[in-house]
Amino acid sequence: MPTTAGRVLLAGDETIIPVISGLIESLPDGARGQIFIEVASSAQIVPIETPERITVSWLARDVRRGACGQALTAAVTAWVAEMTTGDVVLDGAELCVWLGGEAATVDELRADVAHRLGSSRVTLAR
């Protein structure tokens, strides 16, 4: 994750929480954006410190309907549709997207986000 990222989207499942926490530590204080974390149970929700303009949304499967990864995919897709145009010039090069988690979910989501934003703007992990 570039330490100069001004606008970020971090997303993953419960297996990647420590990595997301590490990425947050590398962000500048002025960073803004969204973090989505899908967990099996609301009992897995833990406080995460972020820069002031970053929001963390926990997606607990025990209080939602749908298969594993479905809430994460819906949240990321909706955020990208609402917060970006798909045009690097209009959106600005400061946007950094990082996705991590189970390969089956992340691979499909990566392809969709890369298509919407351009693959050079998406960083992915499994």
Side-chain angles (χ1 to χ4, degrees):
M1 163 99 21
T3 58
T4 59
R7 198 160 57 119
V8 298
L9 171 61
L10 307 178
D13 61 24
E14 61 267 23
T15 66
I16 215 81
I17 293 171
V19 176
I20 289 175
S21 294
L23 291 171
I24 291 168
E25 290 177 12
S26 73
L27 294 174
D29 291 337
R32 63 195 187 285
Q34 180 70 47
I35 299 170
F36 293 111
I37 304 173
E38 183 174 326
V39 293
S41 165
S42 53
Q44 293 176 288
I45 296 173
V46 296
I48 294 181
E49 273 193 52
T50 65
E52 188 174 310
R53 296 187 294 170
I54 293 186
T55 302
V56 178
S57 296
W58 292 90
L59 310 169
R61 290 188 297 276
D62 64 344
V63 295
R64 301 177 181 277
R65 293 179 185 227
C68 181
Q70 188 174 1
L72 183 65
T73 298
V76 168
T77 302
W79 189 92
V80 169
E82 182 178 343
M83 303 303 289
T84 68
T85 66
D87 183 315
V88 176
V89 174
L90 292 175
D91 291 337
E94 66 178 11
L95 174 61
C96 184
V97 178
W98 187 93
L99 308 172
E102 291 294 321
T105 300
V106 172
D107 287 347
E108 188 174 317
L109 187 55
R110 170 185 37 206
D112 181 59
V113 172
H115 173 74
R116 292 172 188 262
L117 298 179
S119 61
S120 66
R121 297 183 47 203
V122 179
T123 302
L124 301 154
R126 288 185 216 177

